Amino acid sequence: MEVERRLRPEDVVELNPNYHFRWEEPQQAHVLLYPEGIVKLNHTAAAILEACTGAASIADGTAELARRYDKRNLGAEVLTFLEVAHAKGWIRIKS
Amino acid sequence: MPKAGSGLSLDGLGMTLWLVIELTYKCPLKCPWCSNPVDFDRYRNELTTKEWKAVLREGRRLGSLQLGFTGGEPMLRRDLEELVEEADRLGYYTNLITSGVGLNEKRLRALKKAGLKQIQLSIQACDQELNEKLVGLDVFAHKIAIARSIKAEGFPMVLNVPVSRYNIDQTAAFIELAADLGVEYVEFANLQYYNWALLNRSELLPTREQLARSEAEVKAARERLGKRLTIYYVVPDYHDSRPKACMNGWGSIHLTIAPDGTALPCQEARLIEGLEFPNVREHGLDWIWTQSPAFSKFRGDSWMKEPCRSCSEKEKDFGGCRCQAYLMTGDAANTDPVCAKSPHRPLIDALISGAETHRDQMPLIMREGGYPRRMGTR
């Protein structure tokens, strides 16, 4: 198996283009839609995905989350979740 | 689709997350495991474009997210592009499930423009000869060409392999083909034995040895290919001791609309006699889903008999498949006979042993119109 390296704060990540990420009103939740699948995300997961896939780096996205939710030391929590998302193929490293 | 036996449990909050619309039962292929009813040609009163659009609107209001366009062969409907466009506008994730026959580059581009999200293309063998034998038509070269066009148009794609005794030994070759085509997903769907597949069961059921080899090849390929290719493997439920969590439970998240507008909890359910399935021409989808007796019939667990009723796993597998219970035990409320706790399990074991020891040596009954009248005269 190809060895996947771990994510770093300076990485730029993007959503896998085969996944659609959006708010779904009837579920009152963000969902990921992909061939033959649905993932319903909790609030934290959705906030991290939204902030970090649109940011100049994971670190930038994390800083944005820290400002928005007035929290410190989010770095480890964000990276842990993004590692899971990466392993599942929801996101990929852009550069 | 919720994978049979995957253990997936999804709380749809009572919504029809998965909507499957069978646009037509017509199909140029003659696959002897077709999931359509054996008397499919009796249903000729297909919903119109306008009626399908109303279904799409109502489905979205009920919370449907994933939408499968299937058949028969959905490409036979000239209004497919129009329906895809409407579905995309409404916010569905749109999936096309096709044999590839009737699909060409022009229609692919039109479907892309209409907002289609992904395509599932079926392939039955890795060579022309076996493919033609299994589907009754020389379409292998076309399937390969159209697979390449689908990728060239930028669609994510699932290569779907209906697995039987005939093609299971090509597992490694299918994986190689999928990797060569550059598809993201390959799905080995071991046949589930209903309708046409049931008629041909003794000829189609693979042996234990074949299955073990196929599963080992899938495991090795997963390790070798990693994320480059996702391999779904739908386990053959007969060979399991636990029943599949069929459709994530009856009337739980899945709604199928047949070509004539009949609403079903799964694509096979109309084979259960004595249940009257509602039709979208007569009732709104909301009533069908929340109020109709057919959809309520096997919801929850109050309908269960022993051994399901007192089983600790009833919330995990919902007692298995109602259609299979009906077909093999005569009562849709019985435990799925696949379950090791079912008193009917010996029926399944006999079938598995039969696959090892003797063959009926009957020719495959290919999917064609006129059944069962034709069969009666044989």
Side-chain angles (χ1 to χ4, degrees), chain B residues 160-179:
Chain B
N160 179 282
V161 183
V163 179
S164 70
R165 169 197 295 266
Y166 286 87
N167 62 2
I168 192 167
D169 296 332
Q170 294 191 343
T171 300
F174 279 119
I175 293 168
E176 214 168 290
L177 177 64

Side-chain angles (χ1 to χ4, degrees), chain B residues 183-339:
Chain B
V183 307
E184 290 79 7
Y185 309 87
V186 61
E187 172 174 10
F188 289 101
N190 272 282
L191 292 178
Q192 314 276 317
Y193 294 95
Y194 310 95
N195 295 336
W196 292 90
L198 184 61
L199 287 179
N200 290 299
R201 181 171 55 191
S202 73
E203 289 304 304
L204 294 172
L205 200 60
T207 66
R208 285 192 196 95
E209 195 199 331
Q210 281 184 307
L211 272 168
R213 217 164 38 225
S214 162
E215 285 178 318
E217 282 168 0
V218 167
K219 186 165 176 279
R222 279 182 179 147
E223 282 166 17
R224 192 176 72 246
L225 298 167
K227 272 197 222 167
R228 272 174 52 209
L229 178 67
T230 300
I231 307 175
Y232 295 124
Y233 197 84
V234 180
V235 297
D237 63 343
Y238 282 18
H239 292 77
D240 215 333
S241 61
R242 313 304 312 143
K244 60 194 171 201
C246 200
M247 309 320 285
N248 203 58
W250 180 275
S252 156
I253 58 169
H254 188 103
L255 172 63
T256 291
I257 309 296
D260 63 344
T262 301
L264 303 163
C266 76
Q267 285 178 261
E268 329 289 348
R270 80 194 307 164
L271 62 80
I272 302 177
E273 287 171 43
L275 272 184
E276 208 164 308
F277 290 104
N279 192 296
V280 298
R281 284 184 165 130
E282 286 144 31
H283 301 281
L285 268 196
D286 189 13
W287 181 88
I288 287 172
W289 184 252
T290 60
Q291 308 291 320
S292 72
F295 275 79
S296 311
K297 181 85 180 170
F298 302 114
R299 269 206 185 110
D301 57 16
S302 58
W303 56 271
M304 285 181 182
K305 309 204 285 192
E306 291 298 348
C308 287
R309 185 178 299 192
S310 58
C311 181
S312 61
E313 292 177 46
K314 67 179 173 185
E315 282 165 25
K316 199 171 127 196
D317 58 36
F318 320 105
C321 171
R322 298 305 91 227
C323 301
Q324 192 145 278
Y326 174 77
L327 286 172
M328 295 191 64
T329 77
D331 182 350
N334 276 340
T335 300
D336 185 331
V338 159
C339 181

Side-chain angles (χ1 to χ4, degrees), chain A residues 4-67:
Chain A
E4 299 259 356
R5 69 170 177 82
R6 298 190 68 79
L7 294 176
R8 296 189 286 254
E10 63 271 26
D11 285 330
V12 184
V13 290
E14 64 180 358
L15 201 65
N16 177 336
N18 293 333
Y19 286 70
H20 285 248
F21 171 65
R22 66 146 205 258
W23 175 255
E24 174 67 4
E25 189 65 26
Q27 294 287 332
Q28 287 296 300
H30 277 89
V31 290
L32 274 173
L33 300 170
Y34 59 101
E36 307 209 6
I38 300 171
V39 177
K40 186 170 160 181
L41 297 162
N42 67 27
H43 182 71
T44 310
I48 296 174
L49 264 195
E50 192 165 37
C52 291
T53 55
S57 69
I58 291 176
D60 271 24
T62 309
E64 165 61 24
L65 286 166
R67 268 193 301 280

Side-chain angles (χ1 to χ4, degrees), chain B residues 27-252:
Chain B
C27 182
L29 301 190
K30 301 173 180 173
C31 306
W33 52 77
C34 182
S35 64
N36 289 166
V38 290
D39 57 353
F40 68 90
D41 59 338
R42 280 182 47 219
Y43 306 94
R44 287 179 181 169
N45 199 6
E46 289 178 10
L47 294 189
T48 62
T49 309
K50 200 175 150 204
E51 286 171 317
W52 279 123
K53 284 186 179 176
V55 167
L56 294 176
R57 278 194 303 276
E58 288 185 62
R60 220 19 219 140
R61 275 205 294 274
L62 286 176
S64 298
L65 271 172
Q66 286 276 358
L67 175 66
F69 289 93
T70 184
E73 175 48 64
M75 294 310 304
L76 293 180
R77 287 279 300 220
R78 301 313 298 183
D79 56 358
L80 177 65
E81 290 83 344
E82 186 180 345
L83 294 174
V84 168
E85 189 173 7
E86 175 73 356
D88 186 61
R89 191 183 67 76
L90 290 166
Y92 285 100
Y93 188 92
T94 47
N95 306 269
L96 172 64
I97 298 149
T98 178
S99 70
V101 178
L103 195 49
N104 53 41
E105 292 193 7
K106 185 165 167 242
R107 291 194 79 183
L108 265 179
R109 280 193 294 274
L111 286 165
K112 186 79 186 174
K113 192 158 163 263
L116 183 68
K117 294 292 183 288
Q118 81 103 358
I119 298 180
Q120 181 185 121
L121 180 75
S122 64
I123 187 136
Q124 296 79 11
C126 290
D127 61 86
Q128 192 277 332
E129 195 185 341
L130 181 58
N131 206 80
E132 181 169 351
K133 176 178 174 174
L134 291 177
V135 307
L137 219 59
D138 178 6
V139 290
F140 182 72
H142 173 74
K143 278 173 179 277
I144 298 300
I146 206 68
R148 295 197 192 281
S149 303
I150 290 168
K151 286 319 295 171
E153 281 297 327
F155 285 105
M157 178 176 155
V158 177
L159 198 65
N160 179 282
V161 183
V163 179
S164 70
R165 169 197 295 266
Y166 286 87
N167 62 2
I168 192 167
D169 296 332
Q170 294 191 343
T171 300
F174 279 119
I175 293 168
E176 214 168 290
L177 177 64
D180 175 57
L181 291 170
V183 307
E184 290 79 7
Y185 309 87
V186 61
E187 172 174 10
F188 289 101
N190 272 282
L191 292 178
Q192 314 276 317
Y193 294 95
Y194 310 95
N195 295 336
W196 292 90
L198 184 61
L199 287 179
N200 290 299
R201 181 171 55 191
S202 73
E203 289 304 304
L204 294 172
L205 200 60
T207 66
R208 285 192 196 95
E209 195 199 331
Q210 281 184 307
L211 272 168
R213 217 164 38 225
S214 162
E215 285 178 318
E217 282 168 0
V218 167
K219 186 165 176 279
R222 279 182 179 147
E223 282 166 17
R224 192 176 72 246
L225 298 167
K227 272 197 222 167
R228 272 174 52 209
L229 178 67
T230 300
I231 307 175
Y232 295 124
Y233 197 84
V234 180
V235 297
D237 63 343
Y238 282 18
H239 292 77
D240 215 333
S241 61
R242 313 304 312 143
K244 60 194 171 201
C246 200
M247 309 320 285
N248 203 58
W250 180 275
S252 156

